[in-house]
Each structure stands twice: as C-alpha cells, then as structure tokens.
Amino acid sequence: MTSTISSFPTIEEIRARADSTEVPALLMTVAHVTGDVSVLRDEWRPDPALLPASGLAPEVAGAARAYCLDRLEAALAEDRPVPVEPPAGVLTAIGRWSLGETADGIADLIEAAFVPDGTDPRAPHWTLEEIAPGRTFDVAIVGSGISGLLSALRMKQAGIPFTIYEKSHEVGGTWSENTYPDCRTDVHSHIYTYSFHPHDWPSYFCRQSVILDYLRGFAEKNGLLEHIRFGTAVASATWDESSHTWAVTTVDDAQCETTTSYSALISAVGQLNRPSIPAIEGLEKFAGPAFHSAEWDHSVDLTGKRVAVIGTGASALQFAPAVAKIAEQVTIVQRSAPWLMPTPELRRDIDADERWLLACLPLYRAYYRLSIFLPRVIGQLSAVTVDPDYPPTERAVSAENEQLRQMLTDYLLQQAGDRSDLAEAIVPDYPPGSKRIVRDDGTWVRTLKRDNVRLVTGGVTRADETGIWTSDGEHVEADVILFGTGFKASEYLMPMRITGRDGRDLHELWGIDAAAYMGITIPGFPNLFCAYGPNTNLVVHGNLVFFLECQAAYVTDAIRMLLEGGHRSMDLRADVFERYQDGIAEESALRAWGWSKTHSWYHNAEGRSTVMWPLPAQRYLHGTAAAQPELYDIA
C-alpha cells in the first residue's frame, strides 16, 4: 500500500514564509504534489553550480514562487492524498531539468538520493529470526562515529546482536575528538546527515557541537548507547578458522584485557582519526605548549600569545582566524597554498522562516536536500581528470582543469587586492584537485591581511626552546605551536593488529598500500568489513555519508547472504580483489591527485593514493548494491 502524507500546513502559513524558499526545491515539491512536471519550466531552470539556489533574477524568482503557491493551493484544496513517493517520471524530469544532460544515465542514483522524511529505504527487510531461526551470529563494531553508529543501526534493525567498542567516552568519532575553535563541517549540513534521519540544522555548515549533538541524538533515539562499551579499545582481532569467528581482544581504561568471539567484525574507525604531527628536530625542547588541532588543549589561553601555526589545510583555515582575533601575533607556516572554493554561506545561520519550511512543509526538505546532493555527487570529477593530449602539467591537467584553476585564482586575487606579496603566496602551484579544495567565505585572506598575522612560505626545519626555524633560516619566536597538519589517513585500522587466515598480518600484507574491495572486504580476512575504508574518500565529487550508507547496506546484505544460505564465512576471492585494485590504481593515476607530484594526506609515504575514490559515484552505488556470492569463497 502506498503511504501518503497525513497533513500540510495551511497555505497562509506557507505564503507567509515563501520568500525564504529556494525556488528549485519549491518547484520540485510542487511537481511531486501535483504530479505535473510541466511546472519545471525552462525559464526557471537553475544554474546547477548554484544549487540549492536558482541564480534567477529576483523578479523571475518571485514569479516562480507565486506560481508555485497558486498551484500548491489549488492542489491542497482538492483534498486528495499526496503520496510520499514521487509519481512516476517526476524524479527523472527533476534530474533532467536541474542538471541538463548530466542527468542522463543516472536515474538510479537520483532515485537512491531522494529520501522523503519518515522513510528509510535501505533498512533491512529481514531479521535474523526470520531467515535463520535459532542461529547464533553476533557482530563486533569498532568505533562509534558516523559510520559505526550507522552500522549498528542496521544490525539492530536486522535483529543481529552486536557490540560497539569505543576507545573514548563519547560517541561521534572525529566530531567528538575535534573541538578546536570554529570547527565545523565543510559539507552542506543537509547532506552531511543520514538520509533517513533529517535534522533542523541551524546553519548551512554546522559547527562541531551541533553535529555531535545530532549523532548523540541518533544513538539515543535508536537505542544504540546500551550496546556501546566506552573506554574500551580493540587491540587485536584474530580469525579462528575452526570456529569461523573473530577473537577480538580489547583493553579498557583499567588496562584489563578481554577476548571475545564474534561471527563478524566491522571496522568503523574511519580515516581522519590519527593526527599527523611532522617529525621536527628539537620539538621536544620547545618550552611552551604544542598540540595538534585534533588534540586541542583548551586549558591553554592564547590571548596575547605569540602563536606559530604549522599547516594550511582545512582545519587550520578554521582555527587560525579564530586564534588571530585574540593572539598578539600569529605566524602561519605554509608548505603549499590551499585552493579555496567560494562559499559565501559558510558561516551563515539559516533564518527562522527557512527552518520552518524545511521542518514543516512536507517534501520540501527532501527536495532541498536533493538539490544540494545531485550536483555535488556528480561534482567536478571531469575537471580533475588528466587529458594526456592537453598536455598535463603542474599548472593544470586538462583544459577543464585550467578553467577551474582560473576561476579559483581569480577568487584569490580579487581578495588579495593590492597586496602583491600576498597574491604571490596564496595562489597554489599545483593543479586544482591535487589536494582538498577548502571552502571559504573570504575569512582566510582577511585573516592573512591582519596586522598581527604573517604568512611564511616553506617548511619548518627544527625547533628550539623559544620557537621554530623555517626552511629560509628564519627563527620565529613563539609561546605556543599549533599543528594543522592533517591526519595519517593512509594508515588504515591502526593501531589494531588484525590477523587473518594462515596467520597473515593485515598491516604486513598491505605494507603502505592499504586496499579493499569497494573499500569493504579483503581476501584472506573472512567476515571482516571496513566502513570508510581504503579509496572511499571524496573531494570533488560524491558524498561521504551517501558512501557510508552504501557500505552499511552492502555489509548488511553480505550478512543476509551468509545467514540465508546457512554459511559461516565469506572470503573475497584474490582474483576479484586484484582486478578491482588494478582498476582503482589505473583510474587514480588519471586524476589530478594521482598525477601531480604535490603531497597531501591523500598520499602514502611513496606518493600513492590509497584514500580517494577515483570513479563516478554511480559506480560505487552499483558496486555496493548487493553482495554477490560469486565474488567470494563461501563456507
């Protein structure tokens, strides 16, 4: 039976707040309510690069809103049921209207991306008791961040016993650990969320505390907290061939060691959970506090201090402006300049009328989310793809990459103004997409222009009791050293020791080149599943939470496959793994981050990327749609 929407607010309530609607999402909502896709007129077609905004002139946008409200009023006056799911053809028409030819061939991606409030299309439609009554099967989950909590919910929905091991005393993972000033997501809040668990976000890009509250609320609402063993780290896991189980050894805060057997093991420790601090000679001699952004020491008062900030990555671009407002002097040491993506709404709150519409107008939030998601899940992959005939250089890897470079360069130079010294320092010398493009609302360059801020290019060679020495031989006196130097993203599943079949140590097997099929499974390690595993990070296309939902759905289906067939274990075939990994390596080499010699946390010690997903997001959706038994040795 098709579910319907029980009630709408009055048309008067909607009209009173109509000026706060985004026209594309409003038109999509009306197309759904009326079933009439002719409302998606060409003259109201949005600029995909501006979505969720339309880019329409104010008078044109006003006419579109008025038309929508009239159509909505007429439809609601008929008092006929409005289906939660869109009428046939509506999503296809929306994709083509909003994205143009880019929407061709991605109907399944569009369908997967649209999740109306109150629905959870990827929830398992089976339970352990239904498909394998009397079967004992329990799961250990390592980590209670965004991927760990999602994995736990799927297990609970399937009626599978599970335990979450969390080394800290709080859920949230990186959103619990990173508490530096102005820490916030650089992904739109409405798509940095579980698709089936929406939230009344107060800002377009919310702060750490708001995201942490969201994850806490998710865990509480779904009864996950009672399954978490806080203050308990997983030290090792060893596969037992005779019992087809994982022996998981944990250590709690009191250093008590316990070993428990589980039918399956899900590693949800993520990638950005181990701070990377450069090996600086003499750092131990420094007399003042020195700490990484992910280990912020809030007992240190930076007011009136001389502060050295090492690194200009995404975290530093958030905390350094806040530090500059209170410190006496801030010296920022930049190894390589970041590309900045203009994002005027980065620090803006969402006004009350818009929040009301998102919360109270049925379907509007789902289409608002879709209008953000679609252009970004496609993203700019083509713009960072190497064209061998261009030819590629460390300036740009293709003509399209050069166009992107010019747009981003213009943005930087406009802000630098007459500061020629600054202009020379802030324009990167590598192709866009080789490193993370950081969102910016003008705050960064304004900070660099402050009288108490100085940008130093190069590196840090050593430290002494009173400060740091730069690669130019300058001594910078500092009271505090702050590291914005990223994470050891390539060191997956560390520091756990994972021992698979025939006593194989996973980290010895990997060396520095971590790899997993779809970032999830590894040959020789049966019933081990990774969430946010190798080559599943995203920078210019896709959406991380969407990928996490794909991974959780795949793992859940894999467990269903085992239970339904009366099997005990599944082990990825080596030939499948090798073909997959060869393809990933080949495609990665054709992206800016794989071609350019510039170094970032995308790369391991040898300069290879085991972090980034190099293919269209649709390929990931297809690859994780269902667990395929022919890819595994099943026992």
Side-chain angles (χ1 to χ4, degrees), residues 229-569:
R229 296 189 184 176
F230 290 109
T232 306
V234 172
S236 66
T238 303
W239 176 252
D240 185 328
E241 191 67 44
S242 61
S243 64
H244 292 260
T245 60
W246 283 98
V248 178
T249 299
T250 60
V251 179
D252 64 20
D253 287 343
Q255 298 305 300
C256 292
E257 189 174 287
T258 305
T259 299
T260 310
S261 292
Y262 291 94
S263 306
L265 174 62
I266 300 174
S267 171
V269 297
Q271 297 180 12
L272 307 181
N273 65 322
R274 302 187 69 231
S276 176
I277 297 179
I280 298 174
E281 179 188 348
L283 183 59
E284 72 284 354
K285 299 177 183 177
F286 181 64
F291 49 89
H292 190 277
S293 60
E295 298 169 329
W296 199 269
D297 187 345
H298 291 276
S299 70
V300 177
D301 184 2
L302 300 176
T303 304
K305 297 293 195 304
R306 298 168 300 174
V307 179
V309 174
I310 301 176
T312 52
S315 298
L317 265 68
Q318 291 182 351
F319 73 71
V323 171
K325 293 177 181 178
I326 60 174
E328 175 188 315
Q329 177 68 38
V330 176
T331 301
I332 299 171
V333 183
Q334 170 185 277
R335 184 179 62 183
S336 60
W339 285 112
L340 305 182
M341 178 62 68
T343 310
E345 70 275 23
L346 181 62
R347 289 175 171 81
R348 290 181 190 165
D349 290 336
I350 302 174
D351 72 43
D353 284 345
E354 187 173 5
R355 289 176 69 175
W356 184 92
L357 288 158
L358 289 164
C360 301
L361 178 57
L363 301 170
Y364 179 76
R365 174 160 49 193
Y367 283 112
Y368 178 83
R369 184 180 187 278
L370 186 73
S371 70
I372 298 172
F373 179 91
L374 285 181
R376 287 158 186 86
V377 79
I378 296 167
Q380 297 175 310
L381 186 61
S382 63
V384 301
T385 296
V386 175
D387 178 0
D389 298 325
Y390 177 63
T393 68
E394 286 294 346
R395 174 183 171 89
V397 297
S398 68
E400 191 176 354
N401 193 242
E402 173 63 31
Q403 291 176 352
L404 178 59
R405 179 189 184 92
Q406 201 57 58
M407 184 271 283
L408 298 177
T409 299
D410 289 346
Y411 174 69
L412 289 166
L413 294 181
Q414 286 170 7
Q415 294 179 80
D418 59 0
R419 287 282 303 276
S420 57
D421 60 321
L422 199 54
E424 184 178 346
I426 63 176
V427 176
D429 58 359
Y430 53 87
S434 303
K435 298 172 64 173
R436 188 173 187 86
I437 301 174
V438 183
R439 290 193 175 277
D440 174 69
D441 59 358
T443 296
W444 182 242
V445 176
R446 280 199 303 272
T447 297
L448 298 181
K449 287 181 172 181
R450 291 178 63 103
D451 293 339
N452 68 329
V453 174
R454 189 165 66 98
L455 181 65
V456 176
T457 58
V460 176
T461 58
R462 60 191 174 94
D464 60 18
E465 293 85 350
T466 60
I468 58 174
W469 293 84
T470 71
S471 53
D472 289 337
E474 177 189 357
H475 183 260
V476 177
E477 293 193 351
D479 302 309
V480 182
I481 299 175
L482 304 178
F483 290 97
T485 44
F487 298 85
K488 298 176 181 178
S490 297
E491 297 182 5
Y492 292 91
L493 279 69
M494 290 291 283
M496 295 184 292
R497 182 177 182 182
I498 311 294
T499 306
R501 276 185 164 154
D502 303 320
R504 282 176 285 186
D505 182 278
L506 179 59
H507 296 294
E508 290 179 5
L509 176 72
W510 273 346
I512 62 171
D513 291 309
Y517 176 73
M518 289 294 158
I520 301 172
T521 56
I522 306 156
F525 296 82
N527 296 11
L528 170 64
F529 305 100
C530 299
Y532 197 16
N535 291 112
T536 61
N537 211 333
L538 303 148
V539 60
V540 294
H541 72 299
N543 173 260
L544 175 59
V545 181
F546 178 70
F547 269 44
L548 298 180
E549 292 189 7
C550 289
Q551 292 157 22
Y554 186 87
V555 173
T556 307
D557 195 58
I559 292 174
R560 176 205 57 77
M561 182 177 70
L562 286 175
L563 295 171
E564 224 166 32
H567 308 301
R568 295 183 296 171
S569 65

